[in-house]
Amino acid sequence: MSSTVTRIRLAVVTAAAGVLVLAGCSSSDSSGESSAASCEPAKGKVTLQYWNTVNGMDKVVDLWNKDHPGIQVESKNISNDQYGAIGNALKAGKAPDLAQVGYDQLPTLRSQDAFVDASACKSAAGTESKFVPWTWSQAGFGGEGVYALPQDTGPMAMYVRTDIFKKYDVPIPTTWDEYTTAAEKLHKADPKLTMTFFDPNNAEWFNGLLWQNNANMYSYSDDKWHVTVESDKSRQVAEYWQKLIDDKLVRTDLANGSTQMFAAYQNDQMATQLGAAWGYTGIRDNLPDQAGKWSIVPMPTWGAGGNSGDWGGSTVAFMKGGKHLYEAAEFNTWLNTDPEALALANEVGGLYPASTDGLKLPALAKGVPYYNNEKIFDVFAESSKKVDTDFGWGPTQKTVNLALQDAMAKAVAGDGKLTDALAAAQSSALKSMDDLAIPATAGK
Amino acid sequence: MTDIATRPTDAVSPPPRGRRRPRLDGGGPRAGTIVAFLTPFFLPFVLFYLVPVGYALWQSFRVVRRSGGQYGTSYTTFGGFEQYVEVFQNDEFWASIGRIGLFGIVQVPVMLFTALVMALLLDTHLLKLKGFFRTAAFMPYAVPGVIAAIMWSYLYSPQLSPVVDLLNGIGLKPDFLGPGAVLWSAANVSTWLWTGYNMLIMFSALQSIPQELYEAARIDGAGNWAIAWRIKVPIIAPSIVMTTVFSIIGTLQLYSEPAVLRQISSNISSTFTPNMLAYTVAVGNNYQQAAAISVVIAVITFVLSFGFMRLTSKRAGL
């Protein structure tokens, strides 16, 4: 028995190596700039693979399948390991026709040659005017080519416990300066109460705050990426939050969306949340007792009339390996611009549409009972308009995000500052790009 | 294969070698039979062991190059030891090895000592309800590691844990997920998971000791203590060595416990253990570097576990 066990154990030793093999059955690692593929309808019935992370998306797909017997779509939920699944499928040459990809991961996948350019497909290419401009420029990498269609966005706003603000007679802040003042007052009134939490393990959220401050992290010119993750703009955001953390005005021990976080809200220990449009269901569904106590207002701004930020949101990308580009474009366009599809996606998945028609959905014009029947989507629509359209992502964003998180966690634990985390993310960006032979340099 | 079976040498009767079992077919060993018996082992061995190791090695000697454009055209090429040089220069890698080393030096002895004491207790006549205790102690092993870690993460969490509430109630302010404590919280999950498993291996070894030995010892005047430490423990030393080797390997493979605790504690970085580092690098599309890290981890594991085995087998004369 023992030798069998030993052998099994020894096999486990190389588990990491094994994962790599499964991840990379295809040894043809070469990739290239994809030129626009031809877009011809197939003869006969076609079945498309569509990978996504949205619960209930299969219902939207059913809606399509019912009316389109010739183009059937199979939906697969990959929310457990979204980019792992996509990356492995690409390596194995088994990528689906369409996959949900976050805006911030588009350049990474593009540098892995993950996409096909669908600009030859009229249905896809002709949709530019139907989308919120910044979403289109992110999905198209700011240039020509249609690699993905925007699906949903995460314009940010502030979720506010109005009852708490009322109780301590503190005005709801509209600028970051006022936010600090309010945080001080609330904490003074009740030492157990903090303004919000800073989750050091959530680079995506922090990036949303950087985005708000126009802290653009990358640009491309002279055949090089220019990395400005660490800049005056980003340092301003980092220093602001460092002060809140140092003064113990925000908590740092909670992970976004965790049971622990909701428990803290349930126990009236926090007064606001800086969240995205897609987050309204999270509060509503996890804190049912607090119906009527929450409001959604614009995020505090840097000075009067400043920008808003965006956190998350996704595209549906045309993946390399799909053999039916025409049909994929038909479905993708329907999925992200058809009012009926958008309404259902919003209803079952809470998706906040990237399409301008989608923003006019009847469901989004109504008041939401949980939030005092307020028209909360008006706030998000306004926020979406104030998102910096120039902000873009790097080709090793995942690595940079992880480095940022690791260093933010250190800072929160008292080992360094958030500005050091920006420096760590900056050098991680340069190093990871160098590792993948992507020419990059620091600064503008 | 058939031509091997009908080799002319097959006709030559092999030289008699001691007692031989009678053969049903009356002929010599047939290559076909040998292949049939070995295939179930060798096929998965080659497929799931040699091929992955070979592929990882091959990947680890490659580097990515790229030509032209913002997103460029990438290809891999032979890079010699470039990836390994990078592993050895990577501070994060050595930090993770150091963390794991500290973890192992504390967790492995604590776990194995507990397992040994439990096995010895189960083996005495003093304990009633043996079957129950044996099953109860082994039970955690039946819980998948990820589930165990999730379960413990609730017990550690200051927001939800009744344990933390209780300790707060008596004036203690534990922070199981703090920067200094989180490594030991992960160690505790591992210990909880694996102590029963190790105990069972030691207990099985104890069961195979003939009762006459104890009778003889008692006649010579040995008490329970003396029997336990002077007879039982030395006899089951091979099992203890084996469980230690398993534990060393397990320590170097540590992944799921810290990865789960990471969800609720920001004090576990994405490079906390060597395996987590390899995963993080792979997620960043640097498969070649991840392969090199994996190979280095495998070599360190090999050296440590076999080193320990050689060291102890010489000492114990096993």
Side-chain angles (χ1 to χ4, degrees):
Chain A
M1 172 239 177
S2 66
S3 69
T4 320
V5 174
T6 311
R7 223 167 270 142
I8 293 168
R9 282 295 183 116
L10 285 174
V12 170
V13 172
T14 50
V19 167
L20 288 170
V21 161
L22 294 173
C25 289
S26 138
S27 57
S28 61
D29 284 335
S30 75
S31 55
E33 294 275 322
S34 18
S35 54
S38 69
C39 189
E40 296 292 325
K43 298 180 188 82
K45 193 181 156 185
V46 165
T47 305
L48 301 172
Q49 297 292 326
Y50 163 46
W51 290 6
N52 58 75
T53 64
V54 182
N55 286 331
M57 199 40 98
D58 47 335
K59 294 201 181 77
V60 184
V61 167
D62 287 345
L63 190 67
W64 164 271
N65 284 342
K66 210 174 59 195
D67 295 341
H68 300 82
I71 308 173
Q72 291 292 292
V73 177
E74 286 176 7
S75 165
K76 182 177 162 192
N77 190 305
I78 51 161
S79 46
N80 277 338
D81 184 18
Q82 185 181 9
Y83 297 108
I86 293 174
N88 289 349
L90 277 171
K91 280 255 168 194
K94 291 186 170 161
D97 298 86
L98 297 162
Q100 180 175 353
V101 175
Y103 296 98
D104 64 342
Q105 295 303 313
L106 284 169
T108 303
L109 284 167
R110 174 106 187 258
S111 68
Q112 288 173 266
D113 197 29
F115 306 131
V116 276
D117 181 359
S119 51
C121 298
K122 285 202 182 77
S123 58
T127 54
E128 175 171 355
S129 60
K130 293 189 170 180
F131 292 102
V132 174
W134 68 262
T135 68
W136 184 265
S137 70
Q138 290 224 332
F141 308 93
E144 71 284 10
V146 178
Y147 302 92
L149 296 186
Q151 181 167 51
D152 72 312
T153 62
M156 292 175 82
M158 183 163 69
Y159 293 71
V160 182
R161 277 286 299 275
T162 42
D163 61 320
I164 292 179
F165 279 85
K166 211 168 280 168
K167 183 179 170 189
Y168 297 110
D169 196 25
V170 174
I172 291 169
T174 60
T175 65
W176 287 115
D177 283 341
E178 289 173 24
Y179 192 75
T180 305
T181 312
E184 283 162 353
K185 282 184 186 161
L186 290 178
H187 191 59
K188 208 172 172 186
D190 176 2
K192 279 192 177 154
L193 180 64
T194 60
M195 191 66 165
T196 189
F197 65 103
F198 180 93
D199 177 4
N201 245 336
N202 196 332
E204 286 84 3
W205 174 80
F206 190 72
N207 288 340
L209 299 175
L210 296 180
W211 192 341
Q212 183 196 24
N213 201 28
N214 307 79
N216 209 334
M217 302 197 275
Y218 305 91
S219 61
Y220 185 83
S221 62
D222 305 326
D223 302 327
K224 271 196 200 86
W225 287 80
H226 299 264
V227 180
T228 49
V229 176
E230 192 186 19
S231 67
D232 290 343
K233 291 279 188 187
S234 62
R235 267 192 294 263
Q236 186 183 8
V237 178
E239 278 160 9
Y240 177 82
W241 283 92
Q242 185 68 51
K243 185 154 191 326
L244 288 179
I245 292 167
D246 289 343
D247 296 346
K248 308 232 181 298
L249 297 175
V250 295
R251 286 177 64 161
T252 56
D253 59 339
L254 298 169
N256 181 68
S258 64
T259 320
Q260 290 84 349
M261 179 202 83
F262 285 116
Y265 279 116
Q266 186 68 50
N267 297 328
D268 303 339
Q269 291 170 345
M270 288 188 292
T272 70
Q273 183 178 99
L274 298 159
W278 43 261
Y280 84 94
T281 48
I283 295 214
R284 181 192 70 191
D285 299 343
N286 286 282
L287 302 165
D289 301 349
Q290 296 183 348
K293 294 180 175 176
W294 286 90
S295 260
I296 298 176
V297 301
M299 186 152 85
T301 53
W302 294 102
N307 277 352
S308 188
D310 179 90
W311 171 19
S314 291
T315 65
V316 177
F318 296 100
M319 303 300 289
K320 193 157 204 159
K323 289 177 192 69
H324 305 291
L325 193 57
Y326 174 84
E327 288 77 9
E330 292 288 316
F331 170 70
N332 201 347
T333 305
W334 173 85
L335 181 66
N336 294 310
T337 58
D338 183 84
E340 209 186 340
L342 292 170
L344 188 58
N346 173 259
E347 187 193 324
V348 296
L351 291 187
Y352 187 72
S355 110
T356 42
D357 281 349
L359 295 179
K360 295 174 196 145
L361 287 178
L364 299 182
K366 278 190 264 177
V368 178
Y370 181 88
Y371 298 93
N372 281 319
N373 280 316
E374 287 168 24
K375 292 185 178 179
I376 60 169
F377 296 107
D378 288 354
V379 179
F380 292 121
E382 202 53 36
S383 168
S384 184
K385 281 183 203 157
K386 291 183 177 170
V387 170
D388 176 8
T389 52
D390 289 336
F391 195 86
W393 307 99
T396 57
Q397 195 64 46
K398 188 83 195 168
T399 306
V400 177
N401 282 352
L402 284 170
L404 180 62
Q405 286 174 188
D406 286 349
M408 286 200 300
K410 273 193 186 172
V412 159
D415 183 7
K417 299 281 174 198
L418 288 178
T419 43
D420 301 332
L422 290 173
Q426 166 91 8
S427 60
S428 165
L430 288 167
K431 183 177 178 306
S432 57
M433 281 153 98
D434 183 52
D435 283 347
L436 297 177
I438 300 169
T441 180
K444 280 243 157 64
Chain B
M1 282 163 202
T2 38
D3 56 313
I4 298 173
T6 53
R7 272 185 314 185
T9 45
D10 213 6
V12 183
S13 58
R17 206 189 293 144
R19 271 190 299 166
R20 310 199 51 182
R21 262 188 277 176
R23 286 211 183 79
L24 291 174
D25 61 1
R30 284 173 184 270
T33 320
I34 296 172
V35 169
F37 274 101
L38 288 182
T39 307
F41 168 69
F42 270 105
L43 202 68
F45 181 72
V46 170
L47 216 59
F48 299 115
Y49 185 84
L50 292 184
V51 171
V53 170
Y55 186 78
L57 272 171
W58 184 70
Q59 283 282 307
S60 70
F61 285 106
R62 300 191 71 79
V63 287
V64 177
R65 296 280 184 261
R66 196 175 290 265
S67 59
Q70 186 169 3
Y71 295 95
T73 303
S74 76
Y75 54 93
T76 62
T77 179
F78 181 74
F81 286 95
E82 200 174 302
Q83 299 292 0
Y84 287 96
V85 170
E86 198 162 309
V87 176
F88 289 112
Q89 288 175 346
N90 187 345
D91 296 340
E92 298 288 340
F93 177 75
W94 293 113
S96 73
I97 291 281
R99 220 170 272 134
I100 277 302
L102 185 64
F103 177 102
I105 285 168
V106 177
Q107 190 263 343
V108 173
V110 167
M111 171 178 70
L112 293 182
F113 183 74
T114 315
L116 179 63
V117 170
M118 279 162 64
L120 287 169
L121 282 173
L122 267 183
D123 196 48
T124 59
H125 296 288
L126 303 169
L127 199 68
K128 305 284 181 231
L129 294 170
K130 267 185 212 173
F132 168 76
F133 283 113
R134 200 170 53 208
T135 316
F138 187 65
M139 207 78 100
Y141 178 67
V143 178
V146 172
I147 307 293
I150 291 172
M151 211 177 76
W152 276 98
S153 69
Y154 277 90
L155 293 174
Y156 292 146
S157 163
Q159 297 294 320
L160 310 165
S161 169
V163 178
V164 175
D165 275 353
L166 211 74
L167 291 171
N168 282 338
I170 58 169
L172 291 170
K173 295 263 177 238
D175 182 9
F176 292 119
L177 303 169
V182 77
L183 182 68
W184 308 117
S185 298
N188 179 50
V189 180
S190 296
T191 309
W192 182 82
L193 265 174
W194 292 93
T195 302
Y197 169 85
N198 290 308
M199 179 212 75
L200 213 66
I201 292 175
M202 294 176 192
F203 181 68
S204 323
L206 283 171
Q207 295 275 288
S208 62
I209 301 174
Q211 291 297 316
E212 295 83 35
L213 253 172
Y214 302 147
E215 283 164 30
R218 282 191 203 288
I219 291 167
D220 286 345
N224 281 337
W225 270 109
I227 289 175
W229 294 114
R230 299 239 175 109
I231 297 176
K232 292 183 176 181
V233 172
I235 289 180
I236 65 161
S239 310
I240 298 174
V241 170
M242 190 177 77
T243 50
T244 312
V245 171
F246 285 178
S247 305
I248 292 172
I249 296 171
T251 302
L252 281 147
Q253 296 300 318
L254 196 69
Y255 182 85
S256 41
E257 291 92 337
V260 169
L261 289 180
R262 185 164 194 269
Q263 314 277 330
I264 57 161
S265 171
S266 56
N267 294 309
I268 294 178
S269 67
S270 62
T271 60
F272 197 70
T273 73
N275 261 0
M276 288 172 77
L277 172 67
Y279 178 78
T280 296
V281 172
V283 164
N285 296 324
N286 198 344
Y287 287 93
Q288 293 73 26
Q289 173 68 195
I293 293 170
S294 304
V295 171
V296 174
I297 298 169
V299 169
I300 292 175
T301 310
F302 183 85
V303 168
L304 280 183
S305 51
F306 280 80
F308 178 80
M309 222 138 71
R310 288 205 59 161
L311 191 82
T312 47
S313 60
K314 268 186 192 155
R315 283 265 178 84
L318 299 173

